[in-house]
Amino acid sequence: MKPPPTLLSFQIPTLLCLVLVLLLVTTFESTLSSCSWPLISTLFIILSTFLFSISLNYWLVPGGFAWRNYHHYHNEKQTTKLIGPKGFPILGSLPHMGSHAHTKLSNMATSLNARRLMALSLGATPVVISSHPETAREILYGSSFSDRPIKESAKILMFERAIGFAPSGTYWRHLRRIASLHMFSPRRIQGLEGLRQRVADEMMMRMCKEMEEKGVVEVRGILQEGSLRNILESVFGTNGLDQREELGNMVKEGYELISKFNLEDYFPLKFLDFHGVKRRCHKLAAKVTRLVGQIVEERKRGEGFEGKSDFLSTLLSLPKEERLGDSDMVAILWEMIFRGTDTVSILLEWIMARMVLHQDIQIKARQEIDTLIGQNGHLQDSDIPNLPYLQAIVKEVLRLHPPGPLLSWARLANQDVHVDKVLVPAGTTAMVNMWAISHDPSFWDDPWAFKPERFLKEDVSIMGSDLRLAPFGAGRRVCPGRALGLTTVHLWLALLLHHFKWFPAQRVNLSESLRLSLEMKSPLRCLVVRR
């Protein structure tokens, strides 16, 4: 197969057009010399427009100009044709990749009848996107999609050495083994329950204080602060709390840098860093290395770390043959903080928005809790399996508002592969639009309605086995921390409903904004009444 097309290959038709125009002008120079200059200019413009139209026809192919070489060399051999929007010259479908990319791509796939597989161009990057469970399974479980494309900013911020983006191979398999057997094992998650309870108590105290002082609770700020404290103590134990503010600021800056649009991520030109993203990433990476490295060194010099539940102690207590180098340890711990801070808080904000909007469902969930433990009882992780309606609420919010609607961490084809009988070339980025799947009436009855009861009628797994709802991904690259995140969300939601009645302080705005995760565009403000 021919190599993936480069930007130069897309410029060739235009260059040929310009050369042809010059040749025509030179050939007919003697004729044109007897004509007036306005006539010459008009002829030149007509020829230029005509030939430029031909070059546009070269670019404007299904999927966009990044797929032009594919159609030229392979389409005649295909039994199943590649379908996709032609997009804009040079930019392809980049203008659609904003805060509502998931809905625009879903509508585009529906209009083109390409929900199973749609091709598009993001600059010079060829992309395929699945909006169907069957083709999503081929991508997420396929060995040919075991790698992830990585933005330049994420690479500089050391994520290439962490679990999320490390290339498939011996090192990545070693990280996955450490994560599954040690860091996110059921025993390790259980050992962090006391921390989750403590953080929940602190959040509820702050909610009471805000109601007394302001008459309203700013839910987002409290959840973000609680999530940050929870993840920092999960990662570092109490050692990282002194640096909580500094680490929190680093996470915020990292979100900003990675979510910032950068042309260099879509075109093979290294000088397109107009916003100084790379320079700022290098500075942030140096700060992270210094601060996290300092915490690691202090822990090494301190008392024994055997028997402790935090992730740093887990990594330091590994057998010598499994132990990681300090730089790799820093990268992994930094990724844990970065990815673990926003997911829980964003999901809980969506859940509480739904609770204040649907008072009947909130009351039903509270009654389920009271029936189990009583109004004055103490909730524990072990109670959650006995709260099926509460679990159904979490599933329904994940269906309607998946934190990663495009399964943000896309896949990369490491070899030529067929998906749904369509040839996908090596080097192609593959995405799954989970938002499109979870709103598809072909798979969900009344998909726009908030109906937790649907999950009481049918037990749908959200851990990656059922591709109708896989908010944490699936296959080899499934999120390793999904069990810990869900355990935290279930417990905190149960505690918030058990201790408070929730009401809207103003009209609840369910508008979405896609950055790294799918956030509420307007922060949630509530009135809470202690029971």
Side-chain angles (χ1 to χ4, degrees), residues 14 63 194 209 310 455:
T14 303
K209 185 178 179 181
D310 62 271
F455 292 104

Side-chain angles (χ1 to χ4, degrees), residues 306-322:
E306 298 289 341
K308 294 184 178 179
S309 296
D310 62 271
F311 296 154
L312 176 54
S313 295
T314 301
L315 292 176
L316 291 173
S317 60
L318 289 173
K320 190 173 181 180
E321 62 275 10
E322 294 185 29

Side-chain angles (χ1 to χ4, degrees), residues 375-390:
Q375 185 170 334
N376 299 315
H378 179 64
L379 266 166
Q380 297 178 310
D381 282 344
S382 57
D383 295 316
I384 301 303
N386 299 315
L387 299 172
Y389 193 66
L390 182 122

Side-chain angles (χ1 to χ4, degrees), residues 54 66 77 81 83 99 111 122 169 224 266 278 340 366 376 397 403 407 423 429 441 474 499 502 521:
I54 294 175
K77 304 175 185 177
K81 299 296 183 182
I83 304 173
S99 59
S111 66
L122 298 182
Q224 285 177 341
Y266 306 102
K278 287 199 296 185
R366 188 177 296 110
N376 299 315
V397 173
L407 293 186
L423 178 64
T429 295
H499 287 275
W502 293 78
K521 186 175 181 179

Side-chain angles (χ1 to χ4, degrees), residues 394-438:
V394 174
K395 287 183 178 181
E396 182 70 339
V397 173
L398 283 168
R399 185 188 69 81
L400 282 170
H401 312 288
L406 294 173
L407 293 186
S408 307
W409 317 103
R411 303 295 179 89
L412 184 69
N414 53 33
Q415 61 183 15
D416 293 353
V417 59
H418 283 85
V419 175
D420 201 35
K421 299 181 181 179
V422 174
L423 178 64
V424 176
T428 301
T429 295
M431 297 180 182
V432 172
N433 192 340
M434 188 50 62
W435 185 93
I437 295 173
S438 65

Side-chain angles (χ1 to χ4, degrees), residues 137-349:
R137 181 173 293 278
E138 289 187 56
I139 292 170
L140 298 177
Y141 280 92
S143 58
S144 298
F145 294 100
S146 56
D147 283 330
R148 279 186 169 142
I150 182 167
K151 297 176 72 171
E152 189 65 25
S153 53
K155 189 182 297 185
I156 296 170
L157 289 174
M158 302 178 289
F159 292 123
E160 196 176 29
R161 295 298 296 170
I163 299 173
F165 285 107
S168 59
T170 304
Y171 176 71
W172 176 75
R173 286 193 294 271
H174 181 49
L175 294 185
R176 289 290 300 187
R177 183 175 180 278
I178 291 173
S180 60
L181 295 181
H182 302 287
M183 301 175 75
F184 298 111
S185 66
R187 186 167 66 89
R188 189 71 57 185
I189 294 172
Q190 183 181 3
L192 293 168
E193 180 178 0
L195 169 62
R196 290 190 290 275
Q197 294 276 3
R198 234 181 322 117
V199 173
D201 290 341
E202 291 171 4
M203 289 193 297
M204 289 188 289
M205 287 175 61
R206 185 174 164 189
M207 289 172 182
C208 291
K209 185 178 179 181
E210 282 204 6
M211 275 301 297
E212 290 175 6
E213 295 178 353
K214 302 178 182 178
V216 67
V217 173
E218 303 281 354
V219 178
R220 178 175 296 180
I222 295 175
L223 292 177
Q224 285 177 341
E225 188 174 315
S227 294
L228 179 62
R229 181 183 179 92
N230 182 63
I231 195 64
L232 286 181
E233 203 164 335
S234 297
V235 171
F236 297 121
T238 55
N239 292 57
L241 295 183
D242 293 339
Q243 294 89 0
R244 179 169 59 177
E245 184 176 354
E246 188 174 0
L247 284 165
N249 290 335
M250 289 178 181
V251 170
K252 288 179 183 177
E253 186 178 0
Y255 285 155
E256 179 193 346
L257 291 172
I258 288 187
S259 59
K260 209 169 189 65
F261 178 78
N262 192 7
L263 282 171
E264 187 180 336
D265 293 322
Y266 306 102
F267 295 97
L269 300 171
K270 297 298 182 183
F271 57 83
L272 293 177
D273 185 25
F274 297 126
H275 300 288
V277 172
K278 287 199 296 185
R279 174 175 44 80
R280 292 177 60 193
C281 283
H282 280 296
K283 287 185 177 179
L284 179 58
K287 288 194 291 185
V288 170
T289 301
R290 174 189 56 79
L291 185 58
V292 177
Q294 178 184 327
I295 296 173
V296 172
E297 286 302 317
E298 288 176 358
R299 178 64 62 83
K300 285 181 177 180
R301 292 194 300 266
E303 298 179 1
F305 28 78
E306 298 289 341
K308 294 184 178 179
S309 296
D310 62 271
F311 296 154
L312 176 54
S313 295
T314 301
L315 292 176
L316 291 173
S317 60
L318 289 173
K320 190 173 181 180
E321 62 275 10
E322 294 185 29
R323 208 165 296 166
L324 298 168
D326 285 357
S327 60
D328 291 334
M329 205 179 302
V330 167
I332 290 167
L333 296 172
W334 164 236
E335 183 192 47
M336 296 296 173
I337 301 166
F338 189 87
R339 295 181 67 182
T341 300
D342 73 323
T343 306
V344 168
S345 61
I346 288 173
L347 178 54
L348 271 170
E349 186 178 18

Side-chain angles (χ1 to χ4, degrees), residues 126-140:
V127 178
V128 292
I129 183 164
S130 164
S131 302
H132 192 282
E134 291 178 3
T135 47
R137 181 173 293 278
E138 289 187 56
I139 292 170
L140 298 177

